[in-house]
Amino acid sequence: MNKTLTIAIMSAVMTLSSCNASTNKNESSLDSLRHKLEYAVNSHKVMYGHHDDPVYGHTWVGNEGRSDVKETVGDYPAVMSWDLGGIELGDSVNLDGVPFERIRKEAAAQAARGGINTFSWHLRNPVNGGDSWDMSDTLIVHKIVTDATAKAAYIEQLHKLASFFNSLTDANGKKIAVIFRPWHEHTGNWFWWGRNVSSVDDYKNLWHEMRRVLNSDGVDNILWAYSPDRVNNTDEYLERYPGDEYVDILGVDIYHFDGESGTERYVTAVKTALGIVCEQAKKRNKIPALTETGLESLTISDWYTSVLLPTLRECPAISYLVVWRNAHNKPEHFYAPYKGHPAEQSFKVFYDDDMTMFAADAKSIK
Ligand code: BMA
């Protein structure tokens, strides 16, 4: 039986046997998004995601209808990842040159094909305008949450963010539900909101203030994702957790570095972190995910089937994973294969595997 049909049947059976069966007919788009993610977890499948997938690829930019993923396996990713860096300035394109108007359009197209959208935000800081990687002022987060002028500038940024989320609508004008993953990789030391340059309380306050403004601006179409960089234990994972009432999805970002020699380190890091993520997700009734992962340049050509898939099989179930972008202007910066790349073959096997879900599979979830 084909994979998509199996998913349609399995999810219909799961829905009928669940006490929520009656919510299915009139469910809001947020419930439907949650339902898809939960279906993946409950059936130990994983939705595949790719950053900026339909707006550029390894050798092209801007064309409509293209996707390196679709050109290798015949379908779009189940999850499209986007970044909102630049929205806070009122820019028309994001930090990687993608027009926000195009993101809006592609997010609607992805929702229409039954897929999911997730957003990160590499914003410029509202104090000195430095980019996300500018850590020259180690007091920025503290200023934002305590100093009236800095806070007002932050709130202005948040209003712009809110109006973007409120503008995400389908063809009938109904808001599209999406995942938002702010203040990511804060356990690392490369963003101005990172662990070494902000206190625990100040970091949490960034979240609290964000949630307050977005709520008051009427943003009601978001599942919120928490995604530290790799962690070794539960205390580290939860140190800056903003609270159960602020978060719907528990994630983690873990990359594979150093090719073959880094495989064992990567596998151990994923197993450790997903063990923590899934345990906490179960305990707190949240949805687990591998919010960013990948091997840059796919220097291990069967990485998808020799490293990623076997590792995921040995981890507790997650809902989705995202690999980062295939940059059109940085030839080494890609994480999904493109047509003609040696990793194509392994990626096809990954696509065919019963465990993985792409857009058509996501659409078939009832
Ligand atoms: C990074 C790289 C950068 C990019 C940023 C935001 O990991 O891909 O080139 O600007 O993400 O998308």
Side-chain angles (χ1 to χ4, degrees):
M1 201 185 308
N2 97 18
K3 190 164 98 171
T4 304
L5 183 61
T6 315
I7 291 169
I9 295 170
M10 272 173 63
S11 60
V13 170
M14 279 162 75
T15 304
L16 276 174
S17 60
S18 106
C19 13
N20 291 329
S22 61
T23 61
N24 224 22
K25 236 187 218 157
N26 295 317
E27 70 186 0
S28 72
S29 55
L30 209 52
D31 288 338
S32 145
L33 172 58
R34 194 185 287 277
H35 175 70
K36 283 180 194 260
L37 295 166
E38 284 173 350
Y39 169 79
V41 179
N42 293 336
S43 52
H44 206 155
K45 294 182 185 294
V46 61
M47 299 202 214
Y48 178 79
H50 186 212
H51 190 71
D52 281 349
D53 181 82
V55 292
Y56 57 79
H58 181 65
T59 55
W60 57 274
V61 57
N63 311 47
E64 300 214 4
R66 289 199 67 176
S67 149
D68 282 349
V69 166
K70 192 173 128 219
E71 286 167 23
T72 51
V73 296
D75 196 7
Y76 288 103
V79 180
M80 296 291 186
S81 163
W82 310 105
D83 195 88
L84 296 175
I87 203 87
E88 70 284 358
L89 307 174
D91 287 354
S92 60
V93 299
N94 80 357
L95 78 168
D96 296 318
V98 187
F100 290 113
E101 205 41 59
R102 179 79 191 275
I103 294 180
R104 251 184 222 112
K105 192 173 159 187
E106 292 291 347
Q110 175 69 354
R113 66 172 76 94
I116 286 172
N117 293 284
T118 176
F119 290 83
S120 53
W121 194 21
H122 286 88
L123 72 163
R124 287 183 170 266
N125 81 67
V127 176
N128 65 20
D131 67 21
S132 291
W133 296 267
D134 179 352
M135 302 200 307
S136 56
D137 181 348
T138 56
L139 289 175
I140 282 179
V141 176
H142 187 66
K143 285 178 192 158
I144 291 173
V145 297
T146 55
D147 172 86
T149 312
K151 192 171 188 171
Y154 176 47
I155 290 173
E156 267 315 298
Q157 293 186 328
L158 294 176
H159 287 316
K160 295 198 177 98
L161 179 74
S163 55
F164 177 84
F165 284 125
N166 282 330
S167 75
L168 289 174
T169 50
D170 65 16
N172 302 318
K174 189 180 163 200
K175 272 197 216 172
I176 296 166
V178 299
I179 298 166
F180 181 40
R181 190 171 65 89
W183 312 124
H184 66 301
E185 298 176 7
H186 62 276
T187 52
N189 190 27
W190 44 85
F191 293 138
W192 55 255
W193 55 88
R195 177 160 53 188
N196 293 356
V197 285
S198 67
S199 75
V200 169
D201 285 345
D202 289 344
Y203 175 82
K204 288 184 184 175
N205 280 333
L206 276 182
W207 271 83
H208 298 167
E209 191 59 21
M210 171 182 273
R211 191 65 191 264
R212 187 188 68 72
V213 175
L214 266 64
N215 281 355
S216 76
D217 283 1
V219 176
D220 54 3
N221 52 333
I222 285 180
L223 289 183
W224 295 77
Y226 174 70
S227 68
D229 200 66
R230 64 184 67 209
V231 290
N232 298 309
N233 56 58
T234 307
D235 287 349
E236 219 182 314
Y237 185 76
L238 292 175
E239 188 194 37
R240 285 152 194 257
Y241 183 58
D244 281 342
E245 62 281 36
Y246 293 91
V247 172
D248 303 289
I249 294 173
L250 294 184
V252 67
D253 290 8
I254 300 175
Y255 280 87
H256 184 153
F257 295 110
D258 305 323
E260 295 279 5
S261 64
T263 300
E264 204 180 315
R265 216 173 325 124
Y266 171 75
V267 170
T268 305
V270 171
K271 285 185 181 169
T272 304
L274 288 186
I276 297 165
V277 164
C278 294
E279 184 189 52
Q280 290 303 314
K282 203 163 193 179
K283 188 168 155 194
R284 296 164 190 274
N285 196 20
K286 306 295 176 196
I287 300 165
L290 182 53
T291 36
E292 276 186 46
T293 194
L295 169 67
E296 188 178 37
S297 292
L298 290 169
T299 49
I300 302 172
S301 62
D302 60 354
W303 183 79
Y304 275 95
T305 44
S306 73
V307 180
L308 181 61
L309 200 52
T311 305
L312 294 178
R313 284 198 211 291
E314 289 181 22
C315 287
I318 55 168
S319 52
Y320 71 93
L321 67 91
V322 165
V323 302
W324 211 240
R325 61 204 199 99
N326 284 15
H328 58 92
N329 50 0
K330 290 185 190 176
E332 309 298 313
H333 198 45
F334 63 90
Y335 296 86
Y338 48 86
K339 193 113 198 100
H341 187 274
E344 212 184 333
Q345 198 41 45
S346 156
F347 194 53
K348 283 182 185 159
V349 176
F350 176 83
Y351 166 79
D352 282 335
D353 196 281
D354 276 349
M355 188 177 184
T356 61
M357 297 174 78
F358 284 69
D361 305 320
K363 188 178 179 74
S364 70
I365 301 172
K366 297 292 168 236

